[in-house]
Amino acid sequence: MMNDEGNPSCQSCGSRRRRPFLFFGLALVIVALCFRKPITRTLSERALFSNDAPSEEMIQRGIEDSTDPQEFVLALWNRGKIVPRELAIRHVGILAPLPRPLPLALQEVLRDAALDPDENVREIALEMLSQRHDPALASIAAAELADADPQIRHLGLQTLKTMPEKAGLPLAVPLLDDVDPRIAGEALNVVGNYSGKDYGVKLRDLPQMDDPKPGPQEKPSEGIVKLRAGIESAKAWLREHPVQGEPTRGDVVSTNSSSRKLFLAPDFAMKSLDGKTVRLLDCRGKVVVLNFWTTWCTACIGETPELIKLQKLHANDVVVLGTSLDFTPDDDDTDKSATPDSIKAKVARVAKQRGMNYTVLLDETGITGARYNGGELPTTIIIDANGFVRRRFVGTRDISVFEAFIALASKPL
């Protein structure tokens, strides 16, 4: 079609010029529709992996949406963050429920997790390995039973119960002389199961691991008297029936596995009671004892004297940070009418009454407590001078255990 001057019609030219753009736009729409799900999934995974305190529901959705659930869980574990690591271990068993065998990569992670700095992770991994009668259990139990923490030795003794008696007995015998009565009592039960003898000791009659230790002049309780008699009787039986051979260790757990890497403690910035801002990075060069507590937690308050002793003994090389979670609402113990100022005043009052000689921090937002999974009280994290997590545990410990943790955290990697 020509215009009055003999040139092609502008309408026709415009139509030809627009056609390539229409095709290009249509192609973009098709590409977007085809790749919408993968793009959305990638963005969701990035958001999830950047979250230091995801919920279990978020992780479950991430696994369900993932094209490779095993790689998703391994990536979550390798992030080196406290909450994601625990959730990753919890989901290992879901990926390969019994009686299906574990893929090698997940088996290696579970074995490493059974010797993890985080007590929660250890407990979950040990239970899964015990259910599967993993051949590395004897080796893992031997390491647990030699640990400085009585709670970890307890986990090791629980592991022995899932093993053949002949394999477990040689590992349990040395713990008859354990300094913790509960551990000695549990070891006595292992010997009793093997010998078929009842040594007349009930664990419920023995002091709990976190009970205050009796003074040197105090008369031993009836439970302790029975324990001592039972141990002597067990040792007499063992002299007549010596344990044959060395403990069966099965597969030796690798000490240089790539998946058992120490991980950095997440940095934080919180106000102390005196109004100063304290950052974890500012504590580099010293061992940090990060203790989460509240004014209404009886066990937390009971542990305070041990932390006071620890700070006195290590004034130059250890920083104790008592981090109050009183600002985080609790259904049972939180005063709903409390204001931030009244909460701070209460924390200050308790700190003064208890003579806390260490820095008291205020987690006013609850973010730090969530990142360290500090909701179960008291929760304590031992961080070495380079910022790596060396221990994370729930419950109280006495000064001797803290001293052992400090000594281990002070050793070079």
Side-chain angles (χ1 to χ4, degrees):
M1 179 178 179
M2 308 291 288
N3 60 15
D4 295 340
E5 298 170 346
N7 294 319
S9 167
C10 292
Q11 182 178 357
S12 176
C13 287
S15 176
R16 285 197 297 270
R17 283 196 299 269
R18 284 196 301 269
R19 194 171 294 134
F21 291 104
L22 288 173
F23 284 128
F24 181 69
L26 182 60
L28 284 177
V29 171
I30 293 172
V31 169
L33 290 173
C34 291
F35 291 95
R36 179 168 59 91
K37 285 188 177 180
I39 291 172
T40 303
R41 182 166 54 244
T42 300
L43 292 175
S44 297
E45 285 189 2
R46 285 182 180 177
L48 181 60
F49 286 149
S50 65
N51 189 340
D52 283 353
S55 67
E56 187 141 4
E57 292 75 16
M58 293 170 65
I59 298 300
Q60 187 61 44
R61 285 199 303 270
I63 291 173
E64 291 171 355
D65 293 341
S66 175
T67 56
D68 190 335
Q70 178 176 310
E71 285 302 316
F72 180 91
V73 168
L74 290 173
L76 201 64
W77 169 259
N78 289 324
R79 277 204 62 224
K81 300 295 182 180
I82 291 172
V83 176
R85 292 173 85 257
E86 180 178 332
L87 291 174
I89 290 301
R90 288 187 183 279
H91 282 83
V92 166
I94 298 174
L95 294 183
L98 289 169
R100 284 172 50 191
L102 276 175
L104 181 59
L106 295 180
Q107 183 186 51
E108 289 179 351
V109 165
L110 269 191
R111 289 178 174 184
D112 290 334
L115 298 172
D116 197 72
D118 190 330
E119 181 191 323
N120 285 10
V121 168
R122 285 195 189 209
E123 191 167 1
I124 298 164
L126 270 175
E127 183 178 357
M128 291 186 193
L129 291 172
S130 297
Q131 290 171 348
R132 294 174 179 275
H133 304 288
D134 191 279
L137 274 178
S139 176
I140 292 169
E144 302 278 0
L145 294 173
D147 198 88
D149 188 355
Q151 292 289 356
I152 299 300
R153 299 199 296 278
H154 165 73
L155 288 179
L157 284 165
Q158 294 301 307
T159 303
L160 294 188
K161 295 177 181 179
T162 68
M163 296 164 49
E165 288 179 345
K166 285 188 177 180
L169 182 63
L171 295 173
V173 168
L175 274 78
L176 291 173
D177 297 317
D178 197 273
V179 294
D180 193 294
R182 294 278 297 190
I183 298 300
E186 288 187 57
L188 183 62
N189 282 346
V190 174
V191 177
N193 290 338
Y194 185 78
S195 66
K197 292 182 173 293
D198 182 359
Y199 294 107
V201 175
K202 305 296 182 186
L203 293 180
R204 64 173 178 268
D205 297 332
L206 299 175
Q208 298 294 319
M209 293 178 190
D210 53 2
D211 285 348
K213 298 297 182 285
Q217 306 303 321
E218 290 186 49
K219 184 179 179 180
S221 66
E222 183 180 351
I224 294 295
V225 172
K226 287 183 177 180
L227 174 64
R228 291 173 180 172
I231 289 173
E232 287 305 313
S233 180
K235 287 182 176 180
W237 183 87
L238 287 167
R239 284 192 292 270
E240 295 178 4
H241 305 81
V243 178
Q244 299 296 322
E246 292 295 319
T248 302
R249 296 183 181 274
D251 290 357
V252 176
V253 179
S254 171
T255 57
N256 60 355
S257 172
S258 60
S259 57
R260 195 192 310 147
K261 296 176 181 176
L262 292 180
F263 52 97
L264 285 170
D267 191 26
F268 55 75
M270 288 183 285
K271 294 286 187 182
S272 63
L273 274 178
D274 57 9
K276 296 179 181 178
T277 298
V278 176
R279 291 189 66 194
L280 180 60
L281 281 174
D282 296 336
C283 302
R284 288 287 171 87
K286 295 185 178 182
V287 174
V288 175
V289 178
L290 180 62
N291 177 260
F292 290 97
W293 69 290
T294 63
T295 56
W296 45 260
C297 168
T298 305
C300 303
I301 299 301
E303 189 180 37
T304 298
E306 306 303 306
L307 297 173
I308 291 172
K309 291 178 195 173
L310 187 67
Q311 189 64 92
K312 282 183 180 178
L313 290 169
H314 296 275
N316 298 321
D317 58 334
V318 172
V319 178
V320 179
L321 301 176
T323 305
S324 168
L325 298 182
D326 282 77
F327 292 85
T328 303
D330 182 89
D331 293 337
D332 299 323
D333 299 282
T334 301
D335 181 1
K336 303 301 186 293
S337 64
T339 64
D341 286 342
S342 67
I343 293 172
K344 181 179 178 181
K346 183 181 181 182
V347 173
R349 185 168 61 253
V350 171
K352 183 176 181 180
Q353 289 171 348
R354 296 290 169 176
M356 295 181 183
N357 61 343
Y358 48 87
T359 302
V360 176
L361 301 179
L362 305 171
D363 188 6
E364 299 181 70
T365 63
I367 292 175
T368 302
R371 295 174 78 190
Y372 280 88
N373 201 12
E376 193 174 355
L377 298 170
T379 292
T380 304
I381 298 90
I382 309 293
I383 304 165
D384 69 19
N386 295 312
F388 290 100
V389 173
R390 292 297 194 97
R391 291 278 174 159
R392 181 192 168 277
F393 56 90
V394 176
T396 61
R397 301 294 190 275
D398 66 25
I399 187 64
S400 63
V401 178
F402 274 115
E403 286 276 40
F405 288 161
I406 297 303
L408 290 171
S410 300
K411 291 181 179 179
L413 297 176

